[in-house]
Amino acid sequence: MHRRRRTALALSAALAVAAPLLAACGSEAHPGAAAVVGGDRIEVSALQADVEDVRAAQEASPQSAQLIKDTGQLGRAKLHGMIFGRVLEQAAEKAGVTVSRKEVQDARAAAAQQYGGEEQLAAMLLQQRGVAPDQIDETVREQVMLTELARSLGADLSTPQGLQKVNDALTAASKELDIDVNPRYGTWDDAKIQLGDYKAPWITQVTKQPEAVPAGA
């Protein structure tokens, strides 16, 4: 009798401990996803692959220790970039903006020339934006798309009014995509077009060097 009672009490205690864990698992609507954007999942594995690409490039750099130290929030930064890219695609599609492969190649060539060559461009993007060499084309493509979006909206990116016009288009696109971020990475802010308190530098990037310093990185 006592043994059955002790067993029942032990089982009750175990269930009490497990209940919050089970509830937490059940509340995660998209297990395995870092975020869901417009119904499309950004898998944690895809995010980790991007982070690992950057870390590998950093470790191969002579400034590896400093680069790694300066990018402690790399996972959140890369997720921000992945979400931003999808928001930008949505805004561009609504505005009828497309970017060709040649436009990307031309923009990359111009950026490389400005920085003294491909090697210097890659080093700058790795240091300042956490972009690995195999991520450069996509980063440049986003910059071209952002510039073309502004042009299609008649927005002058050198003025606050122009920047606000582009921001409004991105905010509208962001809301349409109904972005749901895994709580471990924070929450997405539609108005600021950024992940939580991660300070996205896209406006500064656009106004300073649109060809050479890509957005959304």
Side-chain angles (χ1 to χ4, degrees):
M1 178 69 174
H2 292 302
R3 181 178 301 171
R4 285 197 298 271
R5 184 179 180 184
R6 285 197 298 269
T7 301
L9 290 173
L11 180 59
S12 297
L15 290 173
V17 172
L21 299 177
L22 293 171
C25 292
S27 66
E28 187 178 353
H30 310 286
V36 177
V37 183
D40 294 329
R41 295 162 58 93
I42 297 177
E43 301 290 349
V44 171
S45 58
L47 173 60
Q48 290 174 338
D50 269 13
V51 171
E52 288 169 5
D53 280 350
V54 175
R55 288 298 186 216
Q58 289 175 334
E59 289 169 0
S61 168
Q63 295 83 36
S64 59
Q66 188 62 46
L67 289 176
I68 293 172
K69 179 181 178 182
D70 291 344
T71 51
Q73 295 291 315
L74 183 59
R76 294 182 71 240
K78 298 307 287 185
L79 180 57
H80 162 83
M82 295 170 84
I83 297 174
F84 179 88
R86 285 157 174 77
V87 172
L88 179 57
E89 289 272 4
Q90 176 79 356
E93 183 178 344
K94 288 191 66 179
V97 170
T98 59
V99 176
S100 69
R101 176 66 180 166
K102 186 177 186 305
E103 287 177 296
V104 174
Q105 291 173 336
D106 290 347
R108 179 167 179 168
Q113 183 176 15
Q114 178 176 346
Y115 281 90
E118 276 284 340
E119 186 176 339
Q120 289 81 359
L121 174 64
M124 181 279 293
L125 288 173
L126 179 63
Q127 180 179 357
Q128 297 184 15
R129 301 288 178 257
V131 174
D134 62 355
Q135 299 167 357
I136 294 177
D137 273 357
E138 181 58 29
T139 307
V140 172
R141 179 177 177 275
E142 287 182 4
Q143 179 59 64
V144 175
M145 185 176 292
L146 186 58
T147 302
E148 290 301 317
L149 173 62
R151 184 176 290 117
S152 74
L153 296 172
D156 181 353
L157 291 172
S158 66
T159 68
Q161 294 82 3
L163 291 170
Q164 186 60 53
K165 187 176 289 189
V166 173
N167 190 79
D168 288 345
L170 291 170
T171 293
S174 182
K175 290 178 178 178
E176 290 172 0
L177 290 173
D178 190 22
I179 298 166
D180 180 17
V181 177
N182 187 318
R184 67 183 287 193
Y185 298 105
T187 57
W188 181 258
D189 189 321
D190 290 319
K192 294 181 179 179
I193 322 296
Q194 69 183 37
L195 183 61
D197 59 359
Y198 172 69
K199 303 302 180 185
W202 71 268
I203 290 180
T204 300
Q205 293 169 15
V206 171
T207 55
K208 285 187 176 179
Q209 296 288 349
E211 292 84 16
V213 186

